[in-house]
Amino acid sequence: MNLISPVIIAVVYIALCSLLPEPTRQKFNALMIAGAGAVYTSGGGMGAWEMAFTAVLTFCAYKGLADYRWIGLAWLLHTAWDVVHHVKGAPIIPAFEHSSLGCAICDPILAVWMFRGAPAIQTWLTPKRAAV
């Protein structure tokens, strides 16, 4: 379950975000990654590095308001930070030992979606018609 549930969470997140029209979807995702950048600051165990990381992700979120690739980059940076926290034993949710590992599985899925321009999932399910 530690490996499957993060994938399910990513798919559900993508499906729900797909309900948002553009540019609201992009703005929402920029806000989400800005918040994700700050989740470890209240006890993540990396001291001042937590604040520096938050600043980097906040910058990426700001740039992401205009370009999804910045949001994708931020999710990949968050993945790396999740791995650091997992290895150090300072999980994102202290009550769940493997929560940072789960986040490290979920985040790259979101990054790939962002690098693709965060298309609505409905476009994946609609067959394309051949041009006549």
Side-chain angles (χ1 to χ4, degrees):
M1 255 340 252
N2 286 340
L3 300 177
I4 296 170
S5 58
V7 173
I8 293 169
I9 290 168
V11 170
V12 169
Y13 178 87
I14 290 168
L16 291 174
C17 282
S18 292
L19 299 174
L20 297 171
E22 288 293 354
T24 303
R25 183 180 318 136
Q26 186 170 8
K27 291 176 183 178
F28 177 79
N29 278 291
L31 286 171
M32 288 299 289
I33 192 57
V39 297
Y40 285 112
T41 57
S42 65
M46 302 296 170
W49 289 109
E50 301 289 2
M51 299 307 288
F53 180 74
T54 299
V56 169
L57 257 60
T58 300
F59 174 79
C60 289
Y62 174 73
K63 298 295 272 183
L65 289 168
D67 188 342
Y68 270 116
R69 292 175 293 185
W70 283 97
I71 302 172
L73 173 63
W75 279 118
L76 291 180
L77 292 170
H78 197 269
T79 301
W81 207 235
D82 291 327
V83 170
V84 168
H85 279 270
H86 178 70
V87 170
K88 185 171 188 213
I92 193 169
I93 303 171
F96 299 103
E97 179 184 0
H98 298 293
S99 57
S100 290
L101 176 62
C103 201
I105 294 167
C106 178
D107 293 354
I109 297 168
L110 299 179
V112 167
W113 184 57
M114 297 301 161
F115 285 127
R116 293 188 66 224
I121 200 167
Q122 298 87 333
T123 62
W124 303 350
L125 306 173
T126 306
K128 295 185 181 188
R129 298 179 188 245
V132 178

